[in-house]
Amino acid sequence: MGITIKLFSSLREVLGESEFEFSLTELDSAVTVAAVKSALSQRGASWQEALNQPNLVHALNHKVVYTDAVVAAGDELAFFPPMTGG
Amino acid sequence: MGITIKLFSSLREVLGESEFEFSLTELDSAVTVAAVKSALSQRGASWQEALNQPNLVHALNHKVVYTDAVVAAGDELAFFPPMTGG
Amino acid sequence: MTVSIQREPIDVASEYAQLVGPQPDAAVATFTGYVRDHSDAHAVSQLELEHYPEMAQKVLMALGERAADQFGLSRWRIVHRYGLLDVAETIVWVGAVAEHRGEAISASELMMDTLKTDAPFWKREQGPDGHVWVASKAVDQHRRARWRSEEKA
Amino acid sequence: MTVSIQREPIDVASEYAQLVGPQPDAAVATFTGYVRDHSDAHAVSQLELEHYPEMAQKVLMALGERAADQFGLSRWRIVHRYGLLDVAETIVWVGAVAEHRGEAISASELMMDTLKTDAPFWKREQGPDGHVWVASKAVDQHRRARWRSEEKA
């Protein structure tokens, strides 16, 4: 199953990536945001730390969601710190 | 004792005057706004009615006051209905 | 800062530019009121604004100074029309500049709520049955009262 | 009504004129935010605004529509900058038009309070020690929460 991952702000900066395709072949069809986070966390300590910061925001297809939201093929999943616009 | 009386809005219109000098020779030195109203009310039924409407506002030297405020020679005393600016 | 009580229409763009200046503080809130083409009951073709000039000037200055004091405004401005106004013309403009948005927005609201009931202006609407003096609205008295508990003695 | 997410400075006078149009409704409230020359802790020489374009567009549209619905706005507009901004440049502008002042002012406040915490923009300040990401403020979360009880499910 392939999805697009986007990273913004300090996450983008720390992890050195802003957008990439990500496949979760080993997982069954009911993949949650939490499962994607776990899979990405295995990329290394900086990923582990960045994706487990307490205020991390998850947006699935441009909508803020909790980690139990279910991800489908072709979705866009973004991770970022709390927003500071305005 | 001479003061300036000003009338605005519906009071000005009903009473046909906007500004005039008024003397209260017969009264002692502690003249209140209420006493001026009483004296002016003797000018006729329209004055009596206009000056005793429940929401009448009294401004003494450009400041809203109650009827117990004391008036001095040279003061400017204005009567008008509730304000509707803005 | 300053008050203008004027017969001429309010040039909102020019007032805004003068209010904020070349180095604006972080937060600017403005409010503009326009002549409506109707009242609660009937059509309105023109609005006449009578005022008590000396008192209006003092009341609006005191009101701006109170808002500046209460909300820490760096700049403020109140402009109010008088005379005969057509539908869709400006009636009033207030602007408040502060460090933070809450202060600027609350100050603009305070200025509007207070001037509605405390500044000596009186509206007379030209409608289908001639001129009608606008009555003071209970909602305006109510909105005004919200700010009273925060006033100084 | 509409949203603009733009690199260019906000032309407040032009935005205002387009918002109100030739026959303005009675009450118009606006808010403008500018880049400050300091944060709580240090001097700021420039501000960089990163954003998530597609999501920002959707969030701001939904926010304007919610404000219009809740406060009966006849017109509204939200403009937000991104990119590298100098001190004293515009960051954000919101405008709300309604029949009554309370609705226009509250709508502008709702739009500002909500976009601060819900729209995907991130500020990075250039200060004496280099770039610093701006942290989310507790006061902004608190102001945002005031509107939550009135939201629909």
Side-chain angles (χ1 to χ4, degrees):
Chain A
M1 191 193 85
I3 60 173
T4 302
I5 303 288
K6 292 197 174 186
L7 305 172
F8 292 95
S9 182
S10 54
L11 264 85
R12 174 188 55 70
E13 202 173 42
V14 165
L15 301 175
E17 299 212 50
S18 61
E19 178 175 346
F20 56 95
E21 302 302 310
F22 188 63
S23 293
L24 300 102
T25 46
E26 74 277 20
L27 295 168
D28 66 27
S29 57
V31 180
T32 62
V33 170
V36 177
K37 279 176 67 171
S38 289
L40 287 170
S41 292
Q42 289 164 26
R43 292 188 153 205
S46 60
W47 288 80
Q48 167 81 27
E49 189 184 349
L51 292 175
N52 289 287
Q53 58 187 261
N55 294 321
L56 189 76
V57 182
H58 331 91
L60 183 60
N61 299 325
H62 312 139
K63 224 176 145 133
V64 172
V65 294
Y66 292 105
T67 52
D68 60 356
V70 174
V71 178
D75 279 355
E76 180 170 308
L77 179 60
F79 299 105
F80 43 79
M83 297 160 269
T84 56
Chain B
M1 191 192 84
I3 61 173
T4 301
I5 303 290
K6 292 197 174 187
L7 305 173
F8 291 95
S9 183
S10 55
L11 264 84
R12 174 188 55 68
E13 201 173 42
V14 165
L15 301 176
E17 299 211 50
S18 62
E19 178 175 347
F20 56 95
E21 301 302 310
F22 189 64
S23 294
L24 301 100
T25 45
E26 73 277 22
L27 296 169
D28 66 27
S29 57
V31 179
T32 63
V33 169
V36 176
K37 280 175 69 171
S38 290
L40 287 170
S41 293
Q42 289 165 27
R43 289 186 157 208
S46 60
W47 288 79
Q48 165 81 27
E49 189 185 349
L51 292 176
N52 288 288
Q53 57 186 262
N55 294 320
L56 189 77
V57 182
H58 331 90
L60 184 61
N61 299 325
H62 311 139
K63 224 175 148 138
V64 172
V65 294
Y66 292 106
T67 52
D68 61 356
V70 174
V71 178
D75 279 356
E76 181 171 307
L77 179 59
F79 299 105
F80 44 79
M83 297 160 268
T84 56
Chain C
M1 300 300 300
T2 57
V3 161
S4 171
I5 299 171
Q6 62 188 47
R7 192 181 285 279
E8 303 70 39
I10 301 167
D11 182 340
V12 172
S14 161
E15 289 292 348
Y16 185 91
Q18 285 176 58
L19 177 74
V20 299
Q23 287 291 323
D25 216 341
V28 181
T30 73
F31 179 85
T32 321
Y34 292 89
V35 180
R36 242 184 281 260
D37 63 2
H38 62 280
S39 70
D40 294 339
H42 53 77
V44 172
S45 58
Q46 278 192 315
L47 185 71
E48 196 175 343
L49 266 165
E50 178 171 340
H51 77 308
Y52 182 179
E54 304 85 350
M55 181 174 168
Q57 179 72 30
K58 287 183 190 173
V59 167
L60 294 182
M61 276 302 297
L63 171 50
E65 283 163 5
R66 183 201 153 186
D69 191 45
Q70 183 167 336
F71 293 107
L73 304 183
S74 57
R75 301 168 73 90
W76 59 270
R77 168 91 163 154
I78 301 174
V79 185
H80 205 299
R81 304 279 303 279
Y82 67 91
L84 196 61
L85 279 59
D86 286 328
V87 167
E89 280 195 51
T90 50
I91 302 174
V92 62
W93 186 85
V94 305
V97 187
E99 273 274 299
H100 302 287
R101 71 186 182 287
E103 295 151 359
I105 293 173
S106 292
S108 73
E109 193 164 25
L110 163 64
M111 290 194 279
M112 282 306 304
D113 284 348
T114 312
L115 77 78
K116 281 255 172 191
T117 57
D118 292 17
F121 291 86
W122 299 272
K123 288 187 180 128
R124 196 162 68 159
E125 294 169 343
Q126 173 70 47
D129 305 318
H131 288 297
V132 182
W133 289 103
V134 173
S136 175
K137 292 194 176 69
V139 63
D140 288 334
Q141 300 294 335
H142 175 74
R143 290 183 66 92
R144 170 68 179 91
R146 296 184 307 158
W147 303 100
R148 219 172 292 269
S149 60
E150 295 162 25
E151 277 169 41
K152 294 171 194 161
Chain D
M1 302 301 301
T2 57
V3 161
S4 171
I5 299 171
Q6 62 188 46
R7 192 181 285 277
E8 303 71 38
I10 301 168
D11 182 340
V12 172
S14 162
E15 290 292 349
Y16 186 90
Q18 285 177 59
L19 177 74
V20 301
Q23 287 290 324
D25 216 341
V28 182
T30 74
F31 180 85
T32 321
Y34 293 88
V35 179
R36 242 184 282 259
D37 63 2
H38 62 279
S39 69
D40 294 340
H42 53 78
V44 171
S45 57
Q46 278 192 316
L47 185 71
E48 196 175 343
L49 266 165
E50 177 170 341
H51 77 309
Y52 183 179
E54 305 86 350
M55 182 173 168
Q57 179 73 30
K58 287 182 190 175
V59 167
L60 294 182
M61 274 303 295
L63 171 50
E65 283 162 5
R66 183 201 152 188
D69 192 46
Q70 182 167 338
F71 293 106
L73 304 183
S74 57
R75 301 168 74 90
W76 60 269
R77 168 90 163 154
I78 301 174
V79 185
H80 204 300
R81 303 278 304 279
Y82 68 91
L84 197 59
L85 279 58
D86 286 326
V87 167
E89 279 196 51
T90 50
I91 302 173
V92 62
W93 187 85
V94 305
V97 186
E99 273 273 300
H100 301 287
R101 72 186 180 287
E103 296 152 358
I105 293 172
S106 292
S108 73
E109 192 164 26
L110 163 64
M111 290 193 279
M112 282 305 305
D113 284 348
T114 313
L115 76 77
K116 281 255 172 189
T117 56
D118 292 17
F121 292 86
W122 299 272
K123 289 187 179 127
R124 195 161 68 158
E125 294 168 342
Q126 173 69 49
D129 305 318
H131 287 295
V132 181
W133 289 104
V134 173
S136 175
K137 290 195 176 68
V139 63
D140 289 334
Q141 300 295 336
H142 176 72
R143 290 184 65 92
R144 171 68 179 92
R146 297 184 306 156
W147 304 100
R148 219 170 292 269
S149 60
E150 295 161 24
E151 276 168 41
K152 294 168 193 162

